[in-house]
Amino acid sequence: MKKMDLSKARVLTGVKPTEAPHVGNYIGAIRPAIELAAQAAESYLFIADYHALNIIRDAKELKDYTYLVAASWLALGLDPSRTVFYRQSDIPEIFEITTILSAVTPKGLMNRAHAYKAATDKNKEAGKTGNDVDLGINMGLYTYPILMAADILAPRGTVVPVGKDQIQHVEMTRDIAGSFNHLFGDVLALPDFYVQESTGLLPGIDGQKMSKSYGNHVPVFMDSKQRRKLVMKIVTDSKQPDEPKDPDDSIIYQLYCHFATDAEKAEMRRGFEEGGMGYGDAKKLLFEAIERDLEEPSKLYNELLADRPKIDKWLEEGAEKARETAQKTLHDMRHVIGLS
Ligand code: ADP
Ligand code: TRP
């Protein structure tokens, strides 16, 4: 893990309300971000609903995912009395700041953004675009990094925890803020990205990296019976219970390590190495450990989803606080560019 002094940091991150989290997201991103928020002087977490609009074209779906993501984070430990928790769309200053930043952002910088390049590469590979490599790509995807820069710069986030795929966007934020400051004076705070290295990637039930795109994921919030069925489907070799096995080769053991106590881990390890631990028993232990870890959050999640006004209240209170800083940033930016 990269060492960083968080005692003065304003940790800030955003989540797109596009998918329900899986246990890989929980262990690899949500839990570390919540732990980081607890150590930081200040923390901001927001739901990036205008980023999701690039993908979601259904009003009910966007609304439902917003509550689902909010309830997931709250149920998994986000404390709205410590962390400023809000919807991106409730902070209008972000969008005015996006317009200002667009004027100092080179188009070529956007051409180099990974997500845009991946989309044009896909078009080129498909070979059916004629001369139009931009087929089906909207401006929201193209200018995504500018909106993300405004998200970070408006409330003056200084440390931005992200997955590796988002590092480039934080670097672009620094470039864009640097251009603005160079042209108009030192108004914007340059953020640092923060990548949690130590967790490692959780495997999915087929052994590849757990990912929604591979369909091998175990959702964080789901019916217990369904979860048991999923855990029972984890791929294994055909070794018999009494045969010795390498625990580090086992998907079951790798997942178990994230949910079991040290003593439980040692016991499964010994069982595998010495023989005597069959895959069926190991899956049962894994299922029980996951259930234990998620029992309380699941209850809370269901309660929260049944009480949307409560979620709204927290998000509105958070937006009020986030707007105070965003208004100040926008005011300073307008002043130095010559607008009253
Ligand atoms: P997916 O691959 O399912 O689409 P995302 O790319 O949306 O997941 O992941 C969001 C964040 O969750 C990532 O940036 C990463 O930090 C974390 N994450 C995703 N999959 C895993 C995994 N299998 N193990 C650990 N962390 C993961
Ligand atoms: N782009 C991020 C993602 O796809 C979400 C996001 C939007 C974000 N704005 C942000 C993350 C600002 C950190 C800071 O996961």
Side-chain angles (χ1 to χ4, degrees), residues 59-71 74 85 87 300-316:
K60 182 175 180 310
E61 204 179 321
L62 185 60
K63 191 169 263 181
D64 288 350
Y65 268 126
T66 297
Y67 286 112
L68 189 150
V69 166
L74 289 163
F85 184 46
R87 286 187 186 90
L300 194 53
Y301 175 77
N302 290 325
E303 279 167 28
L304 285 166
L305 275 189
D307 190 358
R308 287 186 173 193
K310 189 168 183 177
I311 299 181
D312 283 330
K313 190 174 153 280
W314 277 325
L315 290 171
E316 281 155 23

Side-chain angles (χ1 to χ4, degrees), residues 22 24-25 27-29 162-165 199-203 209-213:
H22 55 67
N25 302 139
I27 302 291
V162 283
K164 288 202 175 80
D165 60 320
T199 316
L201 289 175
L202 271 71
K209 167 193 171 302
M210 185 180 293
S211 170
K212 266 131 352 195
S213 6

Side-chain angles (χ1 to χ4, degrees), residues 113-127 129 133-134 137:
H114 295 322
Y116 171 66
K117 270 177 67 182
T120 52
D121 284 351
K122 212 166 147 197
N123 274 342
K124 283 182 212 157
E125 269 165 39
T129 62
V133 293
D134 288 320
I137 299 174

Side-chain angles (χ1 to χ4, degrees), residues 16-288:
K16 274 189 306 196
T18 47
E19 313 254 12
H22 55 67
V23 299
N25 302 139
Y26 165 45
I27 302 291
I30 301 176
R31 196 158 75 179
I34 291 173
E35 281 168 9
L36 197 70
Q39 293 163 39
E42 290 178 285
S43 55
Y44 282 54
L45 187 116
F46 69 93
I47 309 218
D49 43 8
Y50 267 121
H51 274 114
L53 182 64
N54 294 322
I55 312 161
I56 298 185
R57 311 310 189 141
D58 179 287
K60 182 175 180 310
E61 204 179 321
L62 185 60
K63 191 169 263 181
D64 288 350
Y65 268 126
T66 297
Y67 286 112
L68 189 150
V69 166
S72 301
W73 279 77
L74 289 163
L76 292 170
L78 183 99
D79 177 356
S81 69
R82 277 206 92 247
T83 295
V84 182
F85 184 46
Y86 55 100
R87 286 187 186 90
Q88 179 189 36
S89 57
D90 284 340
I91 318 292
E93 291 74 17
I94 289 176
F95 309 101
E96 190 170 340
I97 291 174
T98 302
T99 301
I100 302 175
L101 295 178
S102 298
V104 301
T105 303
K107 177 171 173 285
L109 188 68
M110 297 299 96
N111 291 342
R112 290 194 290 279
H114 295 322
Y116 171 66
K117 270 177 67 182
T120 52
D121 284 351
K122 212 166 147 197
N123 274 342
K124 283 182 212 157
E125 269 165 39
K128 42 182 185 201
T129 62
N131 289 329
D132 185 9
V133 293
D134 288 320
L135 192 76
I137 299 174
N138 59 50
M139 283 303 287
L141 173 80
Y142 189 60
T143 58
Y144 188 106
I146 311 180
L147 179 55
M148 183 155 158
D151 291 335
I152 298 169
L153 299 169
R156 298 181 182 277
T158 58
V159 173
V160 184
V162 283
K164 288 202 175 80
D165 60 320
Q166 297 294 316
I167 292 176
Q168 188 200 32
H169 289 150
V170 183
E171 285 171 339
M172 286 183 166
T173 302
R174 290 179 67 92
D175 289 347
I176 296 170
S179 300
F180 184 90
N181 286 351
H182 178 69
L183 288 164
F184 298 108
D186 237 359
V187 169
L188 300 173
L190 268 52
D192 286 306
F193 64 81
Y194 180 96
V195 175
Q196 191 94 6
E197 303 279 8
S198 58
T199 316
L201 289 175
L202 271 71
I205 59 170
D206 62 356
Q208 297 185 80
K209 167 193 171 302
M210 185 180 293
S211 170
K212 266 131 352 195
S213 6
Y214 301 144
N216 61 358
H217 57 292
V218 180
V220 175
F221 299 110
M222 72 186 306
D223 173 71
S224 285
K225 278 194 195 132
Q226 298 296 331
R227 179 147 42 224
R228 180 188 285 271
K229 274 193 196 156
L230 264 183
V231 170
M232 291 302 160
K233 277 195 202 153
I234 290 175
V235 173
T236 60
D237 57 30
S238 54
K239 288 206 175 84
Q240 295 303 306
D242 52 354
E243 284 183 72
K245 309 164 186 72
D246 181 356
D248 299 315
D249 254 3
S250 160
I251 304 169
I252 308 169
Y253 181 74
Q254 285 170 41
L255 289 171
Y256 193 58
C257 283
H258 294 284
F259 295 95
T261 63
D262 287 347
E264 289 169 336
K265 280 185 248 175
E267 204 176 322
M268 184 179 285
R269 195 172 182 89
R270 204 174 326 111
F272 272 147
E273 282 173 345
E274 291 171 6
M277 173 70 73
Y279 289 128
D281 287 341
K283 285 178 182 176
K284 194 164 162 277
L285 289 172
L286 170 62
F287 167 73
E288 285 165 2

